[in-house]
Amino acid sequence: MHIIIKSMEIKMCVLDEEKECDGCMECEMCDLDPSKVCDNCGKCLDIKDVATIRIDKIITDPNEYKE
Ligand code: SF4
């Protein structure tokens, strides 16, 4: 009798940080069509050709950073 011991690395769920991944694949399903596996179509992201973001400040000294 041979016993194979695989690595027991625990992977946490990407949707629920308190749950161990059980392979349910909910994270692979489409947000707009629950019967579809995500194919990275981008429709759920409402991607625009142009976008802007306001930057309040640029911190170059890590000691200056406060949460
Ligand atoms: S497969 Fe299921 S349990 Fe694992 S990360 Fe995706 S949603 Fe979470």
Side-chain angles (χ1 to χ4, degrees):
M1 179 176 172
H2 296 278
I3 298 175
I4 300 171
I5 300 175
K6 293 185 176 179
S7 170
M8 296 295 289
E9 185 177 315
I10 295 172
K11 179 182 162 197
M12 300 307 289
C13 174
V14 297
L15 302 177
D16 181 350
E17 63 186 23
E18 295 181 8
K19 173 186 165 188
E20 282 182 32
C21 176
D22 59 9
C24 72
M25 301 300 285
E26 185 180 334
C27 58
E28 296 293 327
M29 302 312 291
C30 175
D31 288 345
L32 303 177
D33 179 356
S35 66
K36 174 186 158 193
V37 174
C38 176
D39 60 3
N40 297 313
C41 70
K43 290 177 184 166
C44 62
L45 300 176
D46 191 25
I47 296 172
K48 307 275 190 242
D49 288 340
V50 178
T52 59
I53 182 170
R54 191 179 120 214
I55 298 173
D56 297 327
K57 184 178 183 181
I58 297 175
I59 299 172
T60 56
D61 178 1
N63 296 324
E64 187 184 341
Y65 178 75
K66 294 177 190 151
E67 288 190 33

